[in-house]
Amino acid sequence: MHHDGRALAGVSEPRESRAGADDNGSRPPLPEAAASDRPLAFAGVAFAAVYVPDAGNGDLRLVETAGRATSRYPPPECLPLSGDSPAAHAFRTDRPLWPDLAELAPRSTDRDSEDRNSEGRYAEDGPRPSQAHAPQAQAQAQAQALAQAQGRQVQAPPTEAPLAALPLGTEGRRLGCLLVVGASPVGFEAEQRRFLEQYADAIAGMLRTEADRPAPMSLLTPALRSLGVGSFALMPDTGLIEADEALLELVGITPDDFDGKVDTLLAHALPEDMHALISVLEPSTEAFGRRELEFRVRRPTGGMRWLSLTCRVVASTDDRPEQVLGVVTATSVLRQSADDVSRIQWLTAALDDATTVRDVGRVVVTALREPLGADRVALAELRDDRLMVTVLDPPQPAAWPETWRAEWRSEWPDAPVSALPTLQLALRDGRMNLWSAGTSLEPGLAGIGAGGLAVLPLPAKGRVAGVCLVGWDEPHDFVPEERSLFTATAALVGQALNRAHAHDAEQELATMLQRSLLPRRLPELPGGTAVARYLPARRGLQVGGDWYDVIALSEDRVALVIGDVQGHSAGAATIMGQMRTAVRAYAVEGHPPDVVVSRANRLLVGMETDLFATCCYAELDLEEGNTLFVRAGHLSPLIRHPDGRTEEVQVEGGLPLGILAEAEFPMTAVALTPGTVLALVTDGLVEAADLPLDEGMRRTRDALAAADPADPGRMADELLGGVDRREDDVALLLLRYDGMKSRPIRAGWAVWRLPDAVMHARRFTARTLRKWGVEDVADAVLLVVSELVTNALVHTQGPVRVDLMLRGDRLRVCVTDSSPRAPAKPVSVDWESTGGRGLLLVEAMSESFGSMPVADGKQVWSEIVVPRREPTPTEPEPGTGQKPGTEQEPGTQQEPGTEQGAAP
């Protein structure tokens, strides 16, 4: 398990006495621990031992130790697995045993009493003591602890050294047990326990890889090295330092390049941290306690790494600093310490990485609540005389005043400043207020800080950006150091909150802009399923010029378009929205694909912008599967055949849009079979700085072939895969073509402009209805045809055409003319009117009725429901396209215009 540098926080003070020390009350010099034992000593461990099961006799066998054990009570070589020793119990239960010091007491001489007290002596993940015990001689404590490890009867002193047992296992295998003796009777802190658990995991990993080796293994030191913990011993008088390989690796120095001088290590530190490092590594005569510091080093590759240092000073006989012993570990997130400078360093670095308002709130909670022992932390922005609460810790509503809960209206609760006079005064003056225990505050703040409340206005650019509340339940004394910390924290958080609010507003604007420019949903298609995905670039405004669209042209025709405007900025997004709208408008008008793209190109050229766009347009006949492609500087579409084969469609390409107004865009026809998947992509998916275009297209084809077309949505997600690079926007449009379940039959008639033209149109319609076997609706259909053809002949010029289509139980009548003006229904028709009732009659007779623009005019249509009836043996169902008594296959249709110009 990786060690993140926090496990050494709160280590115990180094032991001040040892076996054989003089009893005259003077402090004997501390012996220097071996280099491999330094990290364990700073983790509060005086002695560690590893036991593994012995297959021969069923005992736990000692394989390696670290630290110093007493000669009177050496660690036992074997421990019975069935015994009551902590090591055996931890191995059997596969759970760590930590000392419960609150219940430690001298062992009874009665064996039964010893068994009863064993469970009180060690608690599985038990609580740490609430107060420290008086220190005692280290050798005596170690002797007592090792006697505990053996399960022997010992007359114990009033206080014992803590003993912990951690099981060693991995992947369900029990490999052994780690036994550790504490260096101080105060026990192991929470951070020390986490470090020892990580240490046990590292030892277990080495046991698993070394299990088959017959020779004795080295476990403890390599396991420490795998955690990335380095150690050193510095002689301040000479400037020489003994550093292990782990420390040199953290700093970025090879052992061959290290000359043993502390200046060589300091040369890798950043200049801003040099002063703090020198003050720690060159201590004064008074600085004999434990010191902690976070600092930065510059790696040989140019990158920066944060390191955490913990050290103590060993004094000589004349009370002068003789040695500085310490450990260093890497930390990805700086650990807070009691040192104010280090805490501000951590807060500055953490807020620098916080991009959103909620990120800032989480950093504030981490920086203030646990280090200060606070019970509540709240952060709120000030917006228009209201406090917008962004973070509450704890988040449960019951932990906060009733007034706040009553004002919570949404995901971002708010409260009026006028209802909180204390906060209103602090926000107006911009000064910190500290309220001690027992202060009477308004109901809106009651219960937040019964033991003490800190109100911190957050200044930012000459104004107050918000407020932070820190509350305690138990009485809390505000020491001067805390006041300085609050002042510095408020200034940093205010600036960070201002930046985060601007970032959130920018991202909200970008998201709203992108969503408004792209389709909110794709239409449901009768002969296929379309899905789309869009991912913005990870840099800049996260809004770009990629777009896609699915345009339902009619019941059996659909247009697919994907494009990419140069760049990924607000300007590119604006052009993208204009191009998408233009392409959709030209397509809905009924123009063929080459005309749609050509007109969009002329529009972009006329905008006189410096940006150009690429585009791939496809028009698909859902009934027949015929597809027309037009490509304007874009990537070729990909096709996955029903058998899993993939290919890149060779579409003849044209210039990108916006370059040349007279550019030509040829069409390429491709026939699709049901089960085919059509994929349109942008270059953000298949091309990057480290991914050539050809390789990216090959990978996309392989992913398309491997994906399951039964779920197009999951197929699209698999094509995106882990797109982490995202140097550019990514757009993807997939269509699985299934074919039409019911294929319509059609017939068309070109109306001649003759005095009896309406009569000819009625005869054509009646004859067609007889062929299709739907004479039941003849009266309604003939009335609709008469009215629509009459309107077209009277109010328009040019050709008029009647088209009939039967699909299932719907018969559609379409009359096309050359006028773009839609027919207008009369506002009112009285009994004396001689006209204006035609469209009202059509609407009354139709199930649905309307008009739509087409390339050369408009088309007025009406749908009429055909009653279902049981077919006779010689009569097909309506809509199958087969004449009674003929051998025509179902689904065939009469080609439009086959009766054009024929005599009725």
Side-chain angles (χ1 to χ4, degrees), residues 535-721:
L535 297 175
R538 289 190 181 274
R539 55 192 177 96
L541 189 59
Q542 296 190 13
V543 63
D546 288 15
W547 92 88
Y548 60 86
D549 206 350
V550 177
I551 309 167
L553 303 176
S554 64
E555 290 188 349
D556 56 358
R557 288 169 54 246
V558 63
L560 309 175
V561 59
I562 194 167
D564 184 4
V565 177
Q566 177 189 7
H568 40 80
S569 61
T574 303
I575 297 297
M576 175 266 283
Q578 293 173 313
M579 294 307 299
R580 172 177 170 258
T581 303
V583 170
R584 170 174 280 269
Y586 296 140
V588 170
E589 284 185 351
H591 299 290
D594 55 344
V595 176
V596 171
V597 176
S598 178
R599 292 194 175 188
N601 173 63
R602 288 178 176 271
L603 177 65
L604 185 56
V605 171
M607 290 181 183
E608 297 183 353
T609 177
D610 295 333
L611 302 178
F612 62 85
T614 64
C615 174
C616 183
Y617 184 97
E619 183 178 310
L620 171 63
D621 183 348
L622 294 171
E623 182 181 337
E624 300 293 337
N626 298 324
T627 310
L628 294 175
F629 289 98
V630 174
R631 188 166 63 92
H634 202 80
L635 298 173
S636 297
L638 301 176
I639 285 181
R640 183 189 189 276
H641 294 282
D643 58 2
R645 293 182 300 106
T646 61
E647 66 171 313
E648 184 176 335
V649 182
Q650 300 302 317
V651 178
E652 188 175 356
L655 292 175
L657 307 180
I659 294 180
L660 181 63
E662 303 301 327
E664 295 183 357
F665 301 96
M667 291 191 297
T668 302
V670 176
L672 304 182
T673 58
T676 302
V677 177
L678 175 63
L680 305 179
V681 302
T682 58
D683 56 357
L685 178 65
V686 298
E687 188 176 22
D690 57 346
L691 182 65
L693 177 60
D694 294 341
E695 176 65 17
M697 292 292 284
R698 185 192 65 80
R699 292 183 184 181
T700 304
R701 285 183 54 186
D702 293 343
L704 189 64
D708 183 8
D711 187 350
R714 180 176 296 180
M715 194 178 196
D717 295 335
E718 292 177 359
L719 286 181
L720 291 178

Side-chain angles (χ1 to χ4, degrees), residues 240-545:
L240 299 178
I241 186 171
E242 176 190 338
D244 58 15
E245 292 185 6
L247 174 57
L248 296 179
E249 194 280 330
L250 289 173
V251 178
I253 303 177
T254 61
D256 295 337
D257 295 335
F258 183 57
D259 56 4
K261 297 180 180 179
V262 67
D263 292 341
T264 305
L265 293 174
L266 292 176
H268 289 72
L270 267 64
E272 304 89 76
D273 301 336
M274 190 69 69
H275 178 74
L277 274 173
I278 292 177
S279 67
V280 171
L281 299 179
E282 295 182 0
S284 62
T285 56
E286 294 82 8
F288 290 105
R290 180 171 56 90
R291 301 287 301 277
E292 296 180 359
L293 178 70
E294 285 80 23
F295 64 99
R296 295 161 293 178
V297 295
R298 186 70 67 185
R299 300 282 293 169
T301 57
M304 186 185 70
R305 169 181 284 179
W306 276 98
L307 299 179
S308 176
L309 181 147
T310 304
C311 67
R312 61 182 172 87
V313 179
V314 179
S316 61
T317 55
D318 57 353
D319 286 339
R320 292 180 56 82
E322 181 180 13
Q323 285 184 330
V324 179
L325 305 179
V327 293
V328 177
T329 183
T331 173
S332 57
V333 177
L334 288 182
R335 168 176 52 86
Q336 308 100 294
S337 70
D339 183 80
D340 290 341
V341 176
S342 299
R343 185 173 294 166
I344 295 302
Q345 284 181 339
W346 175 86
L347 185 61
T348 303
L351 289 175
D352 185 59
D353 293 334
T355 56
T356 67
V357 172
R358 292 190 179 273
D359 290 341
V360 173
R362 283 189 288 267
V363 172
V364 171
V365 171
T366 306
L368 296 180
R369 184 177 178 186
E370 183 177 353
L372 298 179
D375 296 289
R376 292 173 186 82
V377 174
L379 182 70
E381 288 185 271
L382 182 61
R383 297 186 191 174
D384 300 330
D385 196 36
R386 298 193 72 86
L387 289 173
M388 307 296 295
V389 180
T390 59
V391 173
L392 293 176
D393 192 80
Q396 293 79 15
W400 299 92
E402 180 65 28
T403 304
W404 290 39
R405 299 198 297 271
E407 292 292 335
W408 291 2
R409 299 194 183 100
S410 63
E411 183 182 356
W412 286 51
D414 60 354
V417 178
S418 58
L420 304 169
T422 300
L423 299 187
Q424 189 176 26
L425 178 63
L427 293 172
R428 185 187 64 190
D429 297 341
R431 291 185 296 182
M432 173 181 61
N433 290 328
L434 302 179
W435 305 95
S436 58
T439 302
S440 178
L441 299 174
E442 62 265 24
L445 297 180
I448 295 181
L453 176 65
V455 180
L456 310 179
L458 307 176
K461 295 184 177 181
R463 67 178 187 90
V464 177
V467 64
C468 178
L469 304 181
V470 186
W472 291 262
D473 290 338
E474 300 297 328
H476 180 79
D477 295 328
F478 296 101
V479 297
E481 291 78 6
E482 283 185 353
R483 295 174 181 267
S484 301
L485 174 65
F486 284 146
T487 302
T489 299
L492 291 173
V493 173
Q495 297 293 336
L497 192 64
N498 194 56
R499 294 194 307 268
H501 181 66
H503 176 272
D504 286 351
E506 182 180 88
Q507 294 305 311
E508 182 181 359
L509 174 62
T511 302
M512 181 183 66
L513 176 62
Q514 194 74 61
R515 288 179 178 176
S516 64
L517 296 178
L518 292 175
R520 304 184 70 177
R521 63 179 61 89
L522 300 184
E524 295 184 3
L525 305 176
T529 303
V531 296
R533 297 290 185 269
Y534 174 81
L535 297 175
R538 289 190 181 274
R539 55 192 177 96
L541 189 59
Q542 296 190 13
V543 63

Side-chain angles (χ1 to χ4, degrees), residues 753 788-789 791-793 795-802 814-823 852-860:
R753 284 188 174 272
L788 295 183
V789 171
N791 281 343
L793 293 175
H795 299 291
T796 68
Q797 301 293 326
V800 177
R801 179 180 177 83
V802 177
C814 300
V815 176
T816 306
D817 58 58
S818 58
S819 172
R821 297 182 60 183
M852 58 182 295
V854 294
D856 298 325
K858 68 174 180 296
Q859 184 181 87
V860 184

